Amino acid sequence: MAMQRHFSVRDCHQRSITALGFHTARREFLTGFEDGMIKWWDLDSGRLSQSAAEHSGMVTNLLYWTETKLVVSSSNDGTLIVWTSGAVVLDKIRLRSPIFSIAINLRRHLLVCGFKNHLSIYPLDEQKTCGHIINLKKSASDYQHSDIVSCIVSLDSQIYTVGYDRKFLIFDTYQTPEKTCLRVVHVNPHAHDAGITHLLLVRERESTSFLTGSFDRTVGVWSQDGQLIQRLQHFTSEITGMCYVPSIRTVWITSGNGQPLVLDPRSGDIISNFVDTFQSYDDNPQIKHLTCLPETSHVIGSTRNQMIVWKYHSSGCVTILNAKHPLECLSYTAKQLLLLFTGDSSGIVKKWKQNDLSPFTYSKESYNMEDTRPERRGLRCLLQKQVAEQNKRPQSRTQRPGTAGVLRKGIILNNQRPSTCQEKFCGYTKSLFTDEIDLLVMAAESGDIYLWEFDDSISAPFHDDSFSLDPEQHLMKITMKENLLNNERSDALINKHLAGFTCKKVLAGHLKAVTALAVVGRESGFSAVYLLSGGWDRRICVWDLLTCTLIETFCRPELDHWNNQRETACDGVIMDICYCSKRNEFAYASSDGNIYIRHFALVSSEMTLENILRGHEAEVTSIVWHNLKDKWITGSEDGTIRIWSEDGAQCERILHTKEVVMCICIDQINGCIVAGVHDTIRTHRSNPLHSACSRDEAVCFRFLGQDGQTVEGLLQGKSIQ
């Protein structure tokens, strides 16, 4: 759901572009030029359709009249021209004074024209019974403005105008059989510190507001009755163009830049850095004019003699969050407060929180692993302690290294301990967040698993100091306090998630990088919350996340204790692991091209092998369980996504992606399969009868690191909307 660049047209005319318009019925957009030329362009291809030069002066406005499918153009030569299809002139009206702005009031059936020092309204006459498309004899004028009326907007029966005299006026209109009248209902004589260049209507379900742009480099946000709500001062030059894009509910503003600034009208924040449309650097000349086609969701911008067209893409990126280092893993909370967690190659954990007022923007907090002193748990930790204890024992003179005397001399001369080279922290490889116990689990290349927790923040206890002899009143009081307690617990949870973040425990049980994680929760009938982990050492470990202890390391009961392959779960590296609560089974994907399904238990002897899924011709990179369809879904480097039966007995469907499948997740609302295929996110319906890409069925966040070339992680869970 984003705007993407469609095409551009260079050197469209020798003179400058002064006006933009559109013809929705014919899927055309129009450009007016400084010399009076008007050109029609095809909206899909950008080819020139028609051109005409009926004006003798600069074209100031191009207005589309929806009901009659006509186009009205105005010029500083004082003429109005009404155009039909094929650039045919239907009517040409001379108004004697230069026309700087026009609008149509549909409620009153009026054409409104802005001149220098005054505003005029004309009743519309489609049948030309009075000789023209407008009735000149029943016109009305108002002289509240003392300079050029630069922009006019019509809303219901009211007319809103701004001008170079810094005024913001609101008029009400009424008609009698004899005449049409204008009545001023609001005047702001100093809406800006300089001339006002633009007036924009932003009409949404929740509210209606107006935006004004000025030569003073500010944008004003106004209520429907003309009261100032907010003044934005983020601009480096005067405001040259504004348009509202209803498909993504944002405002585009040009101010002396090659790319428009994107404004969220709900929060008043500039969100250009969070929008994918203008992330790529493009050395464009200054964009001066903007217009939006609401029916087709196109935006047209123009420079001096170049046009740029953006098109709405329903599967586009909603929000982009930039990071300094390549991101390796991604997870999120599925509770009331949406939080995203990312881990990068340098050992930095970032917690991203969606802002309350704007769904596009996120605030972030960074946590460095080097700043924490977590407690280590696991078998490998015990082995390291034994080696450390042996190293602490006193050595004989013959066992000491030959450099001992040199080190001692350095200590004496510098009066300080020699610096020791600390091992550099390895990057993260996998992460998941368990909402059941509010715990972030992050695996690293070193084989360690880091457990990140929120700071303890427990709300004050609720004291029951009430006493009533009436049972009904007592029951009502208990109900009210229960509701209050639930609200307090919800607030306490939100406050807890907004608090700090720290790593208190490290699970050290693997010998190489951990690349697969899965959680077995209490909903599966167990009394604790367990973690399944696997990695490059081909081992599978079962951890108790409540006590942070190693429960079991899978071993093959058929092999002897002295066999080196006893603790290996497969012949290749374990790439991914997934747990199915319905069948109490876990499946893990291997680099040997197979997927192994085992029964989950806390003892290796009970982890019986249920099935082996064979069919992929290369490494299997990911495996997920489809809860809505009861299917296993796998992706591989062979460029295929395979859909397996519930028991894994057969492959029911093969989706060919032609490129390496890096990761897979399931949209739990619509049941779509979302796959990261090299540098592209593809969405497929899980129903075998429909394999075409779907629209508006999954919303993905895009994270860019230093390379930003390959999609390696997707959100697994419900759609985020």
Side-chain angles (χ1 to χ4, degrees), residues 680-695:
T680 306
I681 297 176
R682 298 184 180 177
T683 307
H684 298 271
R685 298 184 187 273
S686 58
N687 191 334
L689 299 178
H690 302 280
S691 60
C693 291
S694 58
R695 297 181 178 180

Side-chain angles (χ1 to χ4, degrees), residues 325-345:
H325 301 280
L327 298 178
E328 306 293 342
C329 53
L330 168 66
S331 55
Y332 78 107
T333 61
K335 292 186 177 181
Q336 180 180 359
L337 183 65
L338 175 62
L339 297 175
L340 299 172
F341 302 97
T342 59
D344 60 26
S345 57

Side-chain angles (χ1 to χ4, degrees), residues 189 266 282 302 601 680-681:
R266 287 162 288 183
D282 195 358
S302 68
T680 306
I681 297 176

Side-chain angles (χ1 to χ4, degrees), residues 643-691:
I643 303 176
W644 306 81
S645 59
E646 181 179 354
D647 56 0
Q650 62 179 348
C651 178
E652 298 180 349
R653 178 82 176 180
I654 301 177
L655 304 176
H656 294 275
T657 62
K658 299 181 180 180
E659 290 184 297
V660 175
V661 180
M662 305 297 299
C663 50
I664 292 177
C665 75
I666 303 298
D667 174 14
Q668 301 293 353
I669 295 179
N670 301 284
C672 300
I673 302 171
V674 185
V677 182
H678 187 52
D679 59 351
T680 306
I681 297 176
R682 298 184 180 177
T683 307
H684 298 271
R685 298 184 187 273
S686 58
N687 191 334
L689 299 178
H690 302 280
S691 60

Side-chain angles (χ1 to χ4, degrees), residues 270-291:
I270 300 295
I271 60 172
S272 301
N273 294 333
F274 296 92
V275 177
D276 187 38
T277 308
F278 306 112
Q279 287 298 317
S280 59
Y281 178 77
D282 195 358
D283 189 15
N284 287 329
Q286 178 183 352
I287 297 179
K288 292 184 175 296
H289 303 279
L290 284 173
T291 188

Side-chain angles (χ1 to χ4, degrees), residues 57-198:
M58 179 180 67
V59 179
T60 56
N61 284 273
L62 294 167
L63 177 64
Y64 180 62
W65 188 357
T66 308
E67 285 73 10
T68 60
K69 297 181 176 56
L70 300 174
V71 174
V72 182
S73 63
S74 64
S75 171
N76 64 357
D77 62 3
T79 60
L80 283 173
I81 299 180
V82 182
W83 305 85
T84 61
S85 301
V88 177
V89 177
L90 177 64
D91 194 6
K92 190 171 185 178
I93 309 165
R94 300 186 182 277
L95 298 180
R96 299 180 182 178
S97 299
I99 307 167
F100 297 100
S101 54
I102 56 175
I104 292 180
N105 187 293
L106 297 177
R107 175 70 63 86
R108 302 299 188 193
H109 209 57
L110 299 172
L111 177 68
V112 188
C113 297
F115 304 91
K116 185 177 181 180
N117 301 330
H118 71 280
L119 179 77
S120 298
I121 56 175
Y122 305 91
L124 292 169
D125 184 5
E126 298 94 322
Q127 304 301 324
K128 299 176 64 174
T129 57
C130 61
H132 290 288
I133 204 77
I134 59 175
N135 193 334
L136 298 175
K137 295 180 180 180
K138 293 186 178 181
S139 64
S141 299
D142 183 270
Y143 292 85
Q144 292 286 333
H145 281 286
S146 58
D147 206 333
I148 292 175
V149 180
S150 57
C151 196
I152 304 171
V153 171
S154 177
L155 177 61
D156 298 330
S157 63
Q158 291 186 323
I159 297 172
Y160 298 76
T161 65
V162 294
Y164 284 5
D165 55 4
R166 302 180 294 171
K167 291 183 178 180
F168 180 20
L169 302 180
I170 302 177
F171 296 89
D172 199 359
T173 60
Y174 62 94
Q175 290 176 305
T176 64
E178 294 79 17
K179 62 177 181 178
T180 303
C181 298
L182 277 172
R183 183 172 62 89
V184 178
V185 296
H186 177 77
V187 178
N188 188 335
H190 302 290
H192 282 268
D193 294 334
I196 304 174
T197 58
H198 287 82

Side-chain angles (χ1 to χ4, degrees), residues 30 40 62 69 73 108 197 295 348 364 564 589 620 646:
L30 294 80
W40 285 255
L62 294 167
K69 297 181 176 56
S73 63
R108 302 299 188 193
T197 58
E295 292 82 1
I348 302 296
K364 67 178 178 179
N564 293 332
V620 182
E646 181 179 354

